Amino acid sequence: MTDDHADSVDQPTAATSSRRDLLAQLAYQPSRPHLLIGGLFLVLGLLITIVILRPSGGVEEYRSARTEDLIRILDDLDDRQARLEAESARLATLERDLLAGSTAEAIAEARRQLDALRVMTGVAPVSGPGVLVTIVDTEGQVDAGLLLDAVQELRDAGAEAIQVGQTRVVVDTWFADSEQGVLVDGAPVGDRVEIRAIGDPDTLAAAMSIPGGIAESTRTRGAEFSATTTPDLTISVTVPVTES
Amino acid sequence: MIAIIGLLVGVAVGILWHPIIPLWMEPYLPIAIVAALDAVFGGFRALMEKRFDDRIFAVSFLSNVVIASFLVFLGDQLGVGAQMSTGVVVILAMRIFANAAAIRRILFKA
């Protein structure tokens, strides 16, 4: 009985107190500290919204870049502009000279272009600074792909003329794997491949020795690789001219 | 409760009003947000430990934002803006994690 009674007294009390809490919450009057906290959270929400909704004008890449990166990008653009302007000025001068009708200059320009084309097509011997690349491959680990990569790297680095083994590399030169080793234009290159490239020696040598580049992958395959820069290299092999 | 209402009102105002903030303020906004979040987590922890004080919360909120922004400003002036921003964010994130751990321990006893 007493227990029952106690229960019946306790339960209403608990209910009343929770109801009173609820009423207190409903009739809640914000006090100053609460308003302050609410205001601070309002500021926080506002900041987050501003950052998320930031207008994304311009290129995203530049928006997030720091000052130093932007300066570097700007410098690159300036360099490029200067180069293009120089090229433009050179061509404008050329145009003027040619239009002015001086035959001598027209001939000189034509000759200059002819020389460049001779080098490019491989009908003329070339000499000048360059690199001499030697690959000694006794185990037959060097394949056509590697040599082609080497030639491409040299071309990308600005090589004017390239010779692989006894073959002048021109536009239609081909590389293939065969039982006699790698063939270049049908001629086997043998165990000791010599690649001569004419161009800026330092750039060419750097192109060979970049990480993961030709030098590294050749050595990984177990072949010897060396690149020597020389101030005077000669490519005497030429491609026979065929009339078409 | 008032905090959530304030947050929602802030977001709503931001979306509706769409304020354009001056360019010079832009680098400081993310830092200010992280600093404010640090104060919020600190306040929540204090609430859990039943020693929350609204004055301390307000002061820490504002001073966090101001000091963090000032540090980044100083870093920019010294030419180490990127590193300084990273440093400030790392420190604040560490504090947030520490506070979150304390809150978790009280809430889940784990």
Side-chain angles (χ1 to χ4, degrees):
Chain A
M1 272 305 269
T2 29
D3 277 352
D4 262 355
H5 182 70
D7 276 357
S8 62
V9 168
D10 266 350
Q11 272 167 352
T13 320
T16 327
S17 87
S18 73
R19 204 172 301 143
R20 202 179 294 141
D21 279 357
L22 197 66
L23 277 175
Q25 276 191 357
L26 283 178
Y28 168 72
Q29 290 273 310
S31 57
R32 254 191 72 210
H34 278 166
L35 279 180
L36 184 64
I37 294 168
L40 289 179
F41 272 92
L42 191 148
V43 171
L44 178 59
L46 191 60
L47 282 179
I48 292 176
T49 323
I50 291 174
V51 169
I52 291 173
L53 294 183
R54 230 181 326 194
S56 48
V59 186
E60 209 46 46
E61 177 191 348
Y62 299 141
R63 287 193 64 77
S64 53
R66 307 284 314 178
T67 319
E68 305 91 72
D69 295 337
L70 289 175
I71 290 172
R72 191 179 44 72
I73 292 169
L74 191 62
D75 280 349
D76 285 352
L77 286 177
D78 280 347
D79 282 354
R80 200 162 142 225
Q81 190 188 0
R83 265 205 314 281
L84 290 175
E85 268 172 4
E87 175 76 5
S88 163
R90 192 185 68 78
L91 291 175
T93 318
L94 186 63
E95 185 193 21
R96 211 175 43 243
D97 289 350
L98 290 177
L99 283 179
S102 152
T103 326
E105 295 210 347
I107 291 175
E109 174 60 19
R111 213 174 280 285
R112 207 178 58 74
Q113 282 186 7
L114 181 64
D115 285 346
L117 285 173
R118 275 168 176 279
V119 170
M120 226 185 286
T121 52
V123 296
V126 202
S127 61
V131 285
L132 180 63
V133 175
T134 316
I135 298 175
V136 180
D137 169 38
T138 46
E139 288 153 39
Q141 291 301 311
V142 170
D143 60 5
L146 186 79
L147 287 187
L148 182 60
D149 282 349
V151 169
Q152 294 290 19
E153 281 291 349
L154 289 168
R155 272 188 184 147
D156 286 348
E160 286 170 46
I162 304 172
Q163 176 184 337
V164 175
Q166 287 308 307
T167 315
R168 178 78 172 263
V169 177
V170 286
V171 68
D172 60 350
T173 304
W174 53 270
F175 296 82
D177 291 314
S178 78
E179 281 140 28
Q180 308 138 289
V182 182
L183 300 182
V184 181
D185 273 358
V189 291
D191 292 345
R192 187 187 165 85
V193 190
E194 218 180 62
I195 304 175
R196 289 159 179 257
I198 301 226
D200 179 45
D202 292 333
T203 316
L204 293 178
M208 291 291 96
S209 57
I210 52 167
I214 302 303
E216 208 174 290
S217 50
T218 310
R219 288 192 189 116
T220 316
R221 293 178 190 212
E224 279 172 46
F225 181 97
S226 71
T228 340
T229 58
T230 56
D232 190 34
L233 191 68
T234 307
I235 292 183
S236 49
V237 181
T238 56
V239 174
V241 185
T242 49
E243 298 290 336
S244 58
Chain B
M1 195 63 196
I2 187 97
I4 296 169
I5 294 174
L7 198 63
L8 291 181
V9 171
V11 170
V13 169
I15 290 173
L16 295 178
W17 177 30
H18 217 299
I20 304 296
I21 40 126
L23 201 63
W24 59 266
M25 258 172 91
E26 222 165 70
Y28 306 110
L29 281 183
I31 303 293
I33 288 175
V34 179
L37 278 180
D38 175 45
V40 167
F41 272 81
F44 195 55
R45 178 190 183 172
L47 199 64
M48 290 285 119
E49 290 170 352
K50 301 205 181 352
R51 52 181 183 81
F52 180 78
D53 184 301
D54 52 270
R55 258 196 54 227
I56 295 179
F57 173 70
V59 170
S60 80
F61 186 103
L62 293 176
S63 68
N64 257 9
V65 168
V66 169
I67 293 175
S69 304
F70 173 72
L71 277 180
V72 174
F73 168 77
L74 196 67
D76 269 339
Q77 298 304 307
L78 295 176
V80 289
Q83 292 93 317
M84 192 62 114
S85 312
T86 313
V88 169
V89 168
V90 166
I91 298 289
L92 289 173
M94 272 171 61
R95 286 174 47 113
I96 290 176
F97 271 110
N99 281 332
I103 294 166
R104 190 197 62 215
R105 246 174 258 127
I106 297 164
L107 272 185
F108 306 115
K109 312 268 186 288

